[in-house]
């Protein structure tokens, strides 16, 4: 069983920054993939960024150049640094994990992840 606990959400103005954290118990595995997803009201959950046990990253086009995913294995923590935030980034952000590496074209698909956190709200006002 993998436990995921997100934190760091909040309210910011457009152009501001936030850093999300996710403490994940998956980091004891030799191979894994972890990711951030988000879901806005009335919309489907979408992949934002992922990173795997080799440090390979993937980003949604909508966040490239603004968001950075990283991990600190020693702290069992996944991060999402979000800069230049826009009102359309408003959503509940979820941390997800899978206990195996994933081909890059699957890494932002919600259907391949077995473990999910409870979510943290991010609100960006204009």
């Amino acid at each position: 069983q993998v436990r995921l606990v997100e934190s760091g959400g909040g309210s910011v103005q457009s152009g501001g920054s936030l850093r999300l954290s996710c403490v994940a118990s998956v980091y004891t595995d030799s191979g894994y993939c972890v990711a951030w997803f988000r879901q806005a009201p009335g919309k489907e959950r979408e992949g934002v960024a992922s990173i795997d046990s080799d440090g390979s990253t993937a980003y949604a086009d909508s966040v490239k150049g603004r968001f950075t995913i990283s991990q600190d294995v020693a702290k069992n923590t996944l991060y999402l640094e979000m800069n230049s935030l826009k009102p359309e980034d408003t959503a509940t952000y979820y941390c997800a994990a899978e206990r195996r590496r994933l081909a890059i074209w699957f890494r932002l698909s919600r259907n391949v992840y077995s473990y999910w956190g409870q979510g943290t709200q991010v609100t960006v006002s204009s």
Side-chain angles (χ1 to χ4, degrees):
Q1 187 71 16
V2 174
R3 186 165 180 261
L4 304 166
V5 181
E6 304 101 332
S7 62
S11 297
V12 295
Q13 291 191 329
S14 182
S17 299
L18 281 174
R19 187 176 79 159
L20 305 183
S21 300
C22 173
V23 178
S25 60
V26 72
Y27 287 104
T28 55
D29 292 356
S30 58
Y32 59 82
C33 192
V34 287
W36 289 99
F37 285 75
R38 66 186 181 186
Q39 188 167 18
K43 295 189 177 181
E44 292 188 350
R45 191 170 298 188
E46 63 174 357
V48 174
S50 72
I51 188 167
D52 71 6
S53 45
D54 283 355
S56 174
T57 59
Y59 292 92
D61 289 343
S62 59
V63 305
K64 281 181 181 176
R66 300 189 299 123
F67 291 11
T68 302
I69 191 170
S70 63
Q71 57 191 356
D72 187 331
V73 176
K75 294 183 178 179
N76 294 330
T77 303
L78 174 71
Y79 300 101
L80 185 68
E81 186 74 36
M82 304 185 293
N83 298 314
S84 302
L85 282 161
K86 305 175 182 180
E88 52 262 44
D89 295 318
T90 295
T92 300
Y93 283 70
Y94 298 90
C95 177
E98 181 65 13
R99 301 181 72 174
R100 58 191 170 112
R101 293 188 66 203
L102 298 169
I104 193 166
W105 47 84
F106 290 135
R107 291 182 195 169
L108 296 183
S109 171
R110 65 183 184 274
N111 296 322
V112 302
Y113 289 89
S114 300
Y115 304 98
W116 293 85
Q118 82 287 353
T120 186
Q121 178 66 35
V122 172
T123 303
V124 184
S125 58
S126 58

